[in-house]
Amino acid sequence: MSETSEMIRKTFKEGDDVRDAGLTAPEDVKRYDDIVYGGNEKWQVLDVYRPKEKEGELLPVIVSVHGGAWVYGDKERYQYYCMSLAQRGFAVVNFTYRLAPEFKFPAPLEDTNLVFTWLLAHAKEYGFDTEHVFGVGDSAGAHILGLYTAICTNPEYAKHYAFKVPQGFVPTAVALNCGKYELTDADLDEQTRKLMEDLLPEGGSEKELELITVTNHVTENYPPVFLMTAVEDFLKEQAPLMVEKLTACEVSFLYRVYGDKKNRLKHVFHCDMRLADAKLCNDEECSFFRSMIPVAE
């Protein structure tokens, strides 16, 4: 493992510990914890959260792909954020995936596919409305979700991977938050280059970087996107690149930049359950998802 990955694991954990200190599970959410979705009981586990008031109802589903620079994070770090989404009327799947450098790319994509496959297979058991399956991802999680959505909608791109997505499956819509969408050798900073060495089998060859650049693989078949960043998000220059590609492909999207000159919101601010701006962002994303669900007559 590079010193960069070790540093990220240490500093990100310290920040998350402060962010989540004192938080507890809300009483109005029912949890199903530590469900194994693959062959690795340490890494391939997930939780399901549902609002208790919706007991017995089929609910639209949100799958959360956590961030962490491809080398950090798990479902525990995203439980409060994901339970807050469940409080908004969704069933939520919150999962841990295999990280670099212990596991090389495309491990996180393989695990994401396993989770969506698991969701479709267990829909009756957990009350999932499989006609309305959404995804949220932030930072590296937005990158992973962005690539996975491309695999679901671009057959030529899907040929690069050994795994197969469930037949006919495409997320109804996705929310890409503070994400990384383009990786080219010319603009990689030293930290990202070290992360690519830990993530990619060839250490970040030109061919590999082309393969994992989301904007290279978006087509007109991509589903609607809620795309957001923040005024002090260190990846904020990435969102306009995705805007340009979605616009060129005539994909429906809603683009938001949160914060202003006085309110200097940072990277993945929406995961801080104490922030009013997080509530606003998460309300708007869930409203975007609900707009994709026909109102019953």
Side-chain angles (χ1 to χ4, degrees), residues 83-214:
M83 284 187 286
S84 80
L85 300 181
Q87 288 178 303
R88 291 169 166 87
F90 294 83
V92 180
V93 178
N94 171 28
F95 72 102
T96 296
Y97 56 83
R98 290 171 294 163
L99 299 174
E102 288 87 348
F103 300 93
K104 297 293 187 178
F105 185 87
L109 283 177
E110 293 168 348
D111 291 355
T112 300
N113 186 57
L114 285 173
V115 168
F116 280 104
T117 302
W118 178 92
L119 181 162
L120 296 173
H122 293 83
K124 185 175 181 180
E125 184 178 354
Y126 293 98
F128 298 146
D129 174 6
T130 57
E131 295 298 312
H132 302 103
V133 179
F134 304 96
V136 297
D138 61 79
S139 198
H143 173 257
I144 294 164
L145 179 60
L147 289 180
Y148 183 71
T149 305
I151 292 169
C152 292
T153 53
N154 182 340
E156 287 302 310
Y157 183 53
K159 290 178 182 179
H160 291 278
Y161 299 94
F163 66 85
K164 303 298 180 186
V165 302
Q167 186 172 2
F169 175 73
V170 176
T172 307
V174 295
L176 304 178
N177 302 317
C178 302
K180 183 76 169 174
Y181 311 112
E182 292 198 0
L183 295 114
T184 63
D185 189 65
D187 65 7
L188 288 189
D189 58 37
E190 183 178 355
Q191 176 172 287
T192 306
R193 191 175 299 281
K194 290 294 184 183
L195 290 170
M196 293 301 100
E197 289 175 2
D198 279 351
L199 175 67
L200 298 170
E202 297 175 11
S205 67
E206 183 177 348
K207 179 181 177 182
E208 286 178 322
L209 294 177
E210 188 281 333
L211 184 72
I212 69 166
T213 287
V214 178

Side-chain angles (χ1 to χ4, degrees), residues 12-13 16-17 19-21 23-25 31-35 37 41-49 64-67 72-83 93-97 99 271 273:
F12 281 22
K13 179 183 184 302
D16 287 350
D17 285 346
R19 182 194 68 194
D20 295 342
L23 294 180
T24 57
R31 301 177 55 133
Y32 302 87
D33 292 339
D34 301 323
I35 302 163
Y37 67 82
E41 295 185 3
K42 174 183 176 182
W43 294 87
Q44 294 171 322
V45 289
L46 61 80
D47 297 344
V48 175
Y49 312 130
S64 172
V65 187
H66 73 74
Y72 167 81
D74 55 32
K75 65 184 179 65
E76 274 62 49
R77 288 300 179 185
Y78 276 67
Q79 61 179 313
Y80 302 112
Y81 163 65
C82 287
M83 284 187 286
V93 178
N94 171 28
F95 72 102
T96 296
Y97 56 83
L99 299 174
C271 292
M273 294 299 94

